[in-house]
Amino acid sequence: MPSGLVALALGGFGIGLTEFLIAGLLPQVASSFTVSEAAAGRLISGYALSVAVGAIALTAATARLPRKQVLVGLVALFVVGNLLSAIAPNYPVMLLGRIVAALCHGSFFGIGSLVARSLVAPEKKSQAVAIMFAGLTVANVLGVPFGALVGERWGWRAAFWAVTAIGVLALVGIAVLVPAWAGRVRPATGTDPVPGRPAAEAGESDPAPPSGLRAQLRAFRSWQVWLTLTATALGYGGMFGAFSYIAYTFTEVSGFAPADVAWLLMVYGVGLVVGNLVGGRAADRDRDRALVLALAGLTLTLALFGLLAGSATASVVLVFVMGVTGFASVPGMITRVTDYAHGAALAASANVSASNIGNALGAWLGGLAITAGLGYTSPLYVGAGIALLSTVVMMIAARRAGIPRVADRAPTS
């Protein structure tokens, strides 16, 4: 494993912690600033909105800059945002810190995925992306309990100081361990003009990456790019349509006590870690087939979960499988959209924005189902329906592409 991948994973871990730990700190933050629960909740919703906006805006603004320099700048922005949150004297400054930290989120994972895949041989590009995203999935497991534990012992500010320190380590790691050439497209000439690049990569034929904003926007003329973005949004929408209300399903349907929800969510988080790594390996073997199977598996899992939610044992098994199938498509989706976008960083960041839009859509539709009186299993069925749509879109995309048997076969739009 290239050491640069470890630095990228550490950055992803820090960014993931920032996103998730606030959920366990909201009561303390609300009490500290004397604001309502709803106002404190905007520290979460404001972060999510800023992720979607920042992913596109910052990637577009830095289109002509070297990708390593951009990553260093993004992590520096992340450090500044968390530092603001740690020292915030009032609620507006706290919210500003959350927004500043969130702006780097989408661009980091979008541009970082291009850098990660450039560090390894072509047949391992999805695995490289999975390793970078491993930091995010581990943060999903540890984020809420980490925030709650640190906040209870040393106060909520200590949690943000800890994340700031992680950000500084990631900043140094990326600056030192990620090579200057990382993220540049490999030449089609059979020679490798970039010193220090692994020999296994020399001669891979990729088109020249679009460097300016107008050139990157041309990548969105490809139907395959749009189909992949749509499948991403719907896939995330299916998973989060169910996950957003899973605590109610556990306590009101499966019969678990409220105290059990924390460890059940960790079971789900472990599933995310496994799905991310398995999905990356599968995508490198046969990407489109792996994506279709992952999305179909998510659809089936959510439907079974709705039917068997009354069983505590089945619920534990199925929430784990939900995590596996829900995240197994992530590495492949990112390499797919960037392949068809010919390495455009804007497309990679748009994939992150699409996932956040899907999160919001799924949570909204799941909430509508509960409000309509359909019960606490209804978000699972709503999620299954959205995931089924994602499967159909991915099948259409694969069919239009000729369903390549090898992930690295030259894409056609």
Side-chain angles (χ1 to χ4, degrees):
M1 184 193 307
S3 56
L5 278 181
V6 178
L8 292 173
L10 180 61
F13 177 67
I15 291 175
L17 278 183
T18 298
E19 180 178 12
F20 300 119
L21 67 78
I22 188 65
L25 299 172
L26 280 186
Q28 292 186 41
V29 173
S31 174
S32 178
F33 293 131
T34 319
V35 297
S36 67
E37 292 85 350
R42 285 194 282 274
L43 296 174
I44 296 177
S45 59
Y47 184 98
L49 180 60
S50 300
V51 168
V53 173
I56 301 298
L58 287 184
T59 304
T62 58
R64 292 186 178 276
L65 298 178
R67 286 170 179 169
K68 176 182 176 178
Q69 293 182 18
V70 173
L71 284 179
V72 170
L74 290 172
V75 178
L77 188 66
F78 165 79
V79 170
V80 170
N82 281 284
L83 183 60
L84 277 175
S85 295
I87 64 175
N90 51 49
Y91 175 80
V93 175
M94 177 70 176
L95 181 59
L96 175 62
R98 291 288 292 169
I99 291 172
V100 170
L103 288 174
C104 77
H105 183 126
S107 292
F108 178 85
F109 285 108
I111 296 171
S113 65
L114 296 173
V115 171
R117 59 181 285 173
S118 74
L119 296 176
V120 300
E123 65 273 12
K124 295 184 178 181
K125 59 187 177 185
S126 293
Q127 293 178 64
V129 172
I131 290 171
M132 187 194 73
F133 271 84
L136 177 64
T137 56
V138 171
N140 198 307
V141 179
L142 300 178
V144 175
F146 172 84
L149 177 64
V150 174
E152 181 180 347
R153 292 199 172 191
W154 298 290
W156 65 265
R157 294 182 187 275
F160 284 96
W161 279 112
V163 175
T164 301
I166 292 172
V168 172
L169 288 176
L171 178 65
V172 173
I174 291 172
V176 173
L177 300 177
V178 174
W181 51 258
R184 298 184 199 173
V185 77
R186 290 176 289 275
T189 60
T191 60
D192 194 355
V194 182
R197 195 196 307 276
E201 297 182 3
E204 183 191 2
S205 180
D206 281 346
S211 57
L213 178 58
R214 183 175 298 179
Q216 293 211 37
L217 288 173
R218 282 198 292 269
F220 291 91
R221 294 177 180 177
S222 168
W223 273 106
Q224 288 291 349
V225 169
W226 285 107
L227 287 170
T228 308
L229 292 176
T230 302
T232 294
L234 291 173
Y236 269 86
M239 181 170 64
F240 280 91
F243 177 74
S244 297
Y245 305 95
I246 200 70
Y248 294 103
T249 305
F250 285 141
T251 56
E252 302 299 326
V253 181
S254 304
F256 288 102
D260 293 324
V261 172
W263 69 262
L264 288 166
L265 293 181
M266 292 190 70
V267 171
Y268 166 78
V270 172
L272 294 181
V273 175
V274 173
N276 176 56
L277 297 176
V278 171
R281 182 175 294 272
D284 280 331
R285 294 179 178 175
D286 191 335
R287 185 172 57 202
D288 281 4
R289 191 176 298 276
L291 291 175
V292 170
L293 289 176
L295 294 170
L298 177 62
T299 302
L300 179 61
T301 300
L302 294 177
L304 284 175
F305 203 163
L307 291 171
L308 303 177
S311 166
T313 302
S315 295
V316 174
V317 173
L318 288 169
V319 78
F320 171 78
V321 179
M322 175 179 152
V324 173
T325 55
F327 221 83
S329 63
V330 172
M333 285 294 188
I334 291 180
T335 58
R336 191 178 202 279
V337 77
T338 50
D339 276 354
Y340 284 102
H342 305 305
L346 192 59
S349 296
N351 198 71
V352 179
S353 291
S355 66
N356 279 269
I357 292 170
N359 293 354
L361 174 66
W364 176 63
L365 292 176
L368 286 182
I370 292 175
T371 303
L374 300 179
Y376 289 116
T377 59
S378 60
L380 291 165
Y381 293 116
V382 169
I386 301 173
L388 178 60
L389 289 176
S390 180
T391 306
V392 172
V393 171
M394 190 60 236
M395 290 175 68
I396 293 171
R399 186 172 183 82
R400 287 178 62 93
I403 315 183
R405 298 296 300 177
V406 180
D408 290 311
R409 184 175 297 173
T412 58
S413 24

